[in-house]
Amino acid sequence: MTTKVALEQHVAAGSPELREVFGGVAAAAREIAKQIRLAGLSDALGAYGAVNVQGEQQQKLDVFANDVMIKWLGQVASVAACVSEEDEAPVVFANAGAKYIVIFDPLDGSSNIDVNVNVGTIFSVQELQGGDLNASILQQGTKQAAAGYVVYGPSTVMVMTTGTGVAAFTLDDSGEFIRSNDAMQMPEQGPYYSTNEANAASWPAAYREYLAMLLRGDLNGKTYSSRYIGSLVADFHRTLLKGGVFLYPPTDKAPKGKLRLLYEANPLAMLAEQANGAAVNGPERILELQPEQIHQRTALIVGSKREVEALQKAVLEAR
Ligand code: FDP
């Protein structure tokens, strides 16, 4: 029989402070998972009635998940501040000597909340640099101390990295995250592309040509099938396990891309690279982008190396 390894034990091999951070995220995820599981019975579904800093309608569960993340992380001595998709400015805690900032999207996939389809929490952990909060938040993704997400689906699963590979933990009935995969590897190439094809007419031409190439089977003789859930966490999770490519290119409506660099693209790019995959914004590696604003948007192409490298080459050649 294999020995059970809990999330906190797994992280303890790294640093005690990071273990505390993961303990805080796990406590929040447990509470969010429970609320989502019983949402239909507790008046937790539907719109909250306010608009967030992104100009998006907040759902009740967005607000709940945000409050829960801040509540738990504020109790972690090593967390100096949180940055959330739902809040315009960082939330700073009075934790003297704290080393980390946790940057997160508390509940990703808003359009799927009310229809019982997978949603998730995405997080990135940055180290505080000499007490300068703003500069510490706006660090390149290469500097992340850790990253991960929780997908609330048929199982609740946390996928995480502290920079030495990617592991997954499944929430058991007693409320513990138990390791269910200790070395996740993205296949070199996969069977799926994942994108909102309804936007294709407003993508730059290189993206349309790339998609046509996948459909024709011009990339290593393989033709692709399509999968799109519309929750980034869920689409990424499938791409990590099965391989292939997720694309959210620039569109006329979102010329800089729709997804957020700090709390969506950076953590997923770190996970992808740690699992032998890749992530770009088209021409450049996501993890090397220099953030300028907390809520900055980016195009995101993430997945297996072959597909992502082929897209990057197509975009660079089109310039
Ligand atoms: P949503 O707008 O539902 O919150 O982060 C935003 C996000 O979802 C991602 O989860 C998802 O990948 C993407 O946007 C879906 O956008 P489209 O509806 O434009 O396809």
Side-chain angles (χ1 to χ4, degrees), residues 108-111 196 228 230-232 248 258-260 264:
D108 168 69
S110 305
S111 69
N196 187 341
Y228 189 67
S231 286
L232 177 59
Y248 210 111
K258 175 180 179 188
L259 302 173
R260 273 51 63 109
E264 293 182 318

Side-chain angles (χ1 to χ4, degrees), residues 36 108-109 111-120 152-154 229-231 234:
I36 289 173
D108 168 69
S111 69
N112 283 319
I113 289 178
D114 280 358
V115 292
N116 202 21
V117 170
N118 298 8
V119 289
Y152 308 101
I229 295 167
S231 286

